[in-house]
Amino acid sequence: MASSSSSSSTEHTKFSILASLFNWISKTKTSSRKRSKFRKFIDTFCSPSDYFSAVRLILPNLDRERGTYGLKESVLSVSLIEALGMSRDSPDAFKLINWRKGGANATGANAGNFSLVASEVLQRRQGTTSGGLTIGELNGLLDKLASSENRGEKTSVLAALINKTNTQEMMWIIMIILKDLKLGISEKSIFHEFHPDAEDLFNVTCDLKLVCEKLRDRNQRHKRQDIEVGKAVRPQLAMRVSDAHAAWKKLHGKEVVVECKFDGDRIQIHKNGANVHYFSRNFLDHSEYAHGMSDIIVQNVLDERCILDGEMLVWDTSLNRFAEFGSNQEIANAARDGLDSDRQLCCILFIRLDLKLSFSFSSALR
């Protein structure tokens, strides 16, 4: 066992240790054992002054300090092919490109799981010995991957990662890049094991780094933090169910309010005087909406400081209807560039969140 957290440095901890934790948790069925193993890792291999370096790798989908990688499976497959120096006509290249089927023609055992298909390809090209990559080095390379402006630069970073890892470690890095570790343990459980107040603090700040820095001592309770205008608040999302019958069963026959489902982008608008910020459901800052919407918000929303939750869409004035899904960015960019268009951004607002933490529906539908 390594030294205790009081003397160890998170950044100097080998990523192989974290990969071993991922392997163990993913294979363990009992939730309590998963949580205790996570706690033991934090206490043994991480320094309280830098929990964030490790936690951001365990909850990659909540890390907003690093930009997006721009690498979904289709682009990542091509980048890996180039990083490995493979011919695009090779069987393994076909396997990566056709990862949903597990290969070019037949269905493979790992079909539909990109990281497992990639590990099949990698194990024929990587050794089993760890390259000694540390958590600090991995975060540095992931920062570089996120800031890379073209596929060539991203491919170079992936090649460096491949050279510093074995197949098992690289498989987990791919899952970190895709922001889905499939560990079978909820972020709620991880937050609770990290600190009793971690989930509450994250919900009102959407700032994983802040959570790690403020809640270093698990035995010291944190004073409830107020919501701040200008900082994303975690939105409440509907529970996903299989069909309408299952949804009705959940309601237990109670009277309900039904709202129209608009096919746009969920957006959170923070107004502080003339300053307006826009955040997605994943807490990403969408400043591109400012040119097309901020003047309208400032002129029509009477509250000086408030948070609004709604759906950002595009209205087609020539057809007198909402435009098809996926046109928000195009119209936002046109507004930014001062281009005339029959289409304009519009926002359907559902909820106003006041600063006393109470919700009020903008309208009730029967």
Side-chain angles (χ1 to χ4, degrees):
M1 243 350 166
S3 58
S4 67
S5 60
S6 61
S7 59
S8 62
S9 168
T10 310
E11 287 206 335
H12 294 152
T13 297
K14 302 294 185 186
F15 177 66
S16 59
I17 297 172
L18 186 55
S20 295
L21 173 72
F22 292 157
N23 286 329
W24 194 93
I25 289 178
S26 65
K27 293 174 183 177
T28 302
K29 299 187 182 299
T30 309
S31 179
S32 59
R33 294 183 68 199
K34 289 174 185 274
R35 293 197 305 269
S36 64
K37 197 74 170 181
F38 163 72
R39 184 73 245 172
K40 188 173 183 180
F41 168 81
I42 289 292
D43 290 341
T44 306
F45 297 104
C46 299
S47 166
S49 63
D50 188 22
Y51 283 138
F52 179 62
S53 289
V55 174
R56 71 190 308 195
L57 299 175
I58 297 168
L59 296 172
N61 58 312
L62 302 184
D63 178 15
R64 295 295 169 262
E65 294 298 311
R66 196 160 18 232
T68 57
Y69 298 109
L71 288 172
K72 293 296 185 182
E73 289 89 347
S74 58
V75 179
L76 185 53
S77 63
V78 176
S79 298
L80 284 172
I81 289 168
E82 293 176 352
L84 291 165
M86 293 161 46
S87 166
R88 291 202 186 190
D89 297 326
S90 66
D92 278 347
F94 278 119
K95 185 182 284 287
L96 279 172
I97 292 170
N98 295 280
W99 63 275
R100 292 187 188 277
K101 295 192 299 182
N105 300 310
T107 299
N110 296 320
N113 189 320
F114 183 83
S115 59
L116 289 180
V117 172
S119 70
E120 285 184 53
V121 173
L122 287 164
Q123 70 183 0
R124 289 189 276 275
R125 293 165 173 82
Q126 283 185 296
T128 57
T129 305
S130 173
L133 185 72
T134 66
I135 285 177
E137 289 169 339
L138 174 56
N139 278 317
L141 286 167
L142 290 176
D143 285 342
K144 191 174 179 181
L145 184 68
S147 63
S148 297
E149 297 182 353
N150 57 62
R151 200 174 73 206
E153 292 178 359
K154 293 182 187 297
T155 298
S156 177
V157 176
L158 288 171
L161 285 168
I162 290 168
N163 287 333
K164 290 175 175 288
T165 59
N166 59 26
T167 303
Q168 197 70 205
E169 294 163 4
M170 193 63 201
M171 180 192 74
W172 288 112
I173 290 172
I174 289 170
M175 296 173 86
I176 289 169
I177 292 169
L178 295 174
K179 299 182 184 293
D180 185 7
L181 295 184
K182 304 182 190 303
L183 292 175
I185 180 173
S186 67
E187 61 189 48
K188 183 183 182 74
S189 294
I190 290 174
F191 273 140
H192 181 74
E193 199 60 46
F194 181 74
H195 191 284
D197 301 315
E199 185 183 22
D200 285 344
L201 182 57
F202 183 82
N203 284 342
V204 297
T205 63
C206 296
D207 190 332
L208 190 62
K209 185 176 183 180
L210 180 73
V211 170
C212 293
E213 290 177 346
K214 280 201 169 187
L215 306 181
R216 295 177 181 179
D217 185 351
R218 195 175 191 276
N219 298 314
Q220 182 177 338
R221 299 305 297 266
H222 182 262
K223 182 181 177 182
R224 188 177 182 89
Q225 178 155 330
D226 291 336
I227 289 170
E228 293 182 39
V229 175
K231 283 191 174 182
V233 181
R234 195 171 207 184
Q236 187 174 20
L237 303 176
M239 179 187 294
R240 190 181 295 273
V241 293
S242 57
D243 52 38
H245 177 73
W248 187 250
K249 191 174 180 181
K250 288 279 185 184
L251 299 172
H252 304 294
K254 296 177 182 176
E255 185 178 356
V256 297
V257 174
V258 179
E259 289 186 331
C260 296
K261 170 66 176 75
F262 294 97
D263 200 12
D265 293 327
R266 178 81 175 266
I267 203 75
Q268 197 176 107
I269 302 174
H270 291 235
K271 177 180 182 281
N272 188 0
N275 296 319
V276 184
H277 296 276
Y278 304 85
F279 299 100
S280 72
R281 60 185 288 175
N282 294 321
F283 341 124
L284 296 176
D285 189 346
H286 281 270
S287 58
E288 69 272 16
Y289 289 135
H291 291 84
M293 284 299 300
S294 290
D295 286 345
I296 296 170
I297 296 294
V298 171
Q299 292 166 14
N300 292 279
V301 176
L302 300 182
D303 287 340
E304 186 70 10
R305 299 176 72 248
C306 65
I307 297 173
L308 306 167
D309 191 14
E311 197 87 0
M312 189 72 77
L313 303 106
V314 169
W315 180 258
D316 192 318
T317 57
S318 62
L319 299 176
N320 203 34
R321 65 173 177 81
F322 292 116
E324 66 278 2
F325 176 75
S327 52
N328 285 16
Q329 293 298 316
E330 176 189 347
I331 301 307
N333 292 336
R336 179 198 61 200
D337 296 338
L339 302 177
D340 292 329
S341 174
D342 291 332
R343 296 182 170 192
Q344 61 190 41
L345 290 172
C346 71
C347 191
I348 307 295
L349 299 176
F350 304 129
I351 297 173
R352 177 177 64 83
L353 175 60
D354 68 32
L355 301 183
K356 295 178 182 177
L357 309 185
S358 64
F359 289 87
S360 58
F361 283 91
S362 56
S363 63
L365 306 178
R366 285 186 180 270

